[in-house]
Amino acid sequence: MSKSLSKSIHVCCYQIRNILWNYRTFFLLLILTVYFFLNEEGIRAFCRNLEVKASPFIFTFLSNDWICQMMLSGGFLWLISPVASMQSDNMFLKFRSGQRAWDLGNMFAIFVSAILYVLLLWFISNIVLFPYLCFENSWGKVWKTLAFTSSASEYEVQIVMDRFIIQTYNPWKATILSFILQVLCINWLAQIMYFVNKKIKKMLGLYIAVGFLFLDVMLFNTFLEKYYPYSPVTLAQLGNYSRDMLQYGVTIERSVIYLVAGAIIFTVLTCYMHEKRE
């Protein structure tokens, strides 16, 4: 392992510890827990009245909802913004690491944080269904009934149960795909925020990342499907990968390439900018 990479990993671990024990983390998790609890009240009422339990696959529907996406992705940007602020509370570590190792370590920290964040989202979104939660290897009666009948309207369920997802994917595949797309989406947004902040020396990157959040809202409400391939938040929603979207180039494979390639480019450019100035 090169000395530079070792320093980057050290910076990554330092930033992860800062994020985990930051007031923002606890405050955001509290807000999201309340948000999930209120959003899933209709589902709990449905389960209570019919005496049934739901399988742990609600996260796919939450990440597929454009309003929820605003909360989930926006929350991560707020959580990670201190890392992308270009201001360090440990100038000694930054000096000892060197600028390139510092930037690379921060990019690593953003990616690792995205994984941990989405894992927590999956856990919290399911645990608030307790005691109406069961572990079974199928969509089960709850999700199918809410997707294919008028029960969602009757119980005022706030989350859209996309029948396309249930018809197309088995629950574990849908969960894994939603997890991967969500991680790649928020990682892409956070890394473009970091890159722009470093380039401009201001928090302009945060506004650009938030702009991509509102791009998804605009596309959803104006039906401009041809721009879907360029909206990372739109690509994180599994329900957008229907056959109708193929004509616009919206496929999971292309989305993964777009989000991964973008993150790599932002990382390389961020490190290259320092080398060029030197």
Side-chain angles (χ1 to χ4, degrees), residues 123-141:
F123 176 77
I124 296 172
S125 63
N126 281 292
I127 206 67
V128 295
L129 285 175
F130 186 82
Y132 306 106
L133 183 68
C134 68
F135 294 91
E136 59 178 295
N137 196 29
S138 65
W139 286 115
K141 182 183 295 185

Side-chain angles (χ1 to χ4, degrees), residues 77-78 81 193 196-197 202-211:
L77 291 178
W78 180 70
S81 59
M193 176 172 67
V196 173
N197 286 350
K202 295 180 180 179
M203 285 297 287
L204 178 63
L206 176 61
Y207 301 113
I208 291 177
V210 171

Side-chain angles (χ1 to χ4, degrees), residues 24 28 32 68-81 117 186 213:
R24 288 174 180 252
L28 179 60
L32 289 175
C68 288
Q69 269 296 339
M70 292 282 288
M71 288 288 296
L72 306 186
S73 299
F76 182 74
L77 291 178
W78 180 70
L79 178 67
I80 212 72
S81 59
Y117 178 73
I186 59 178
L213 292 181

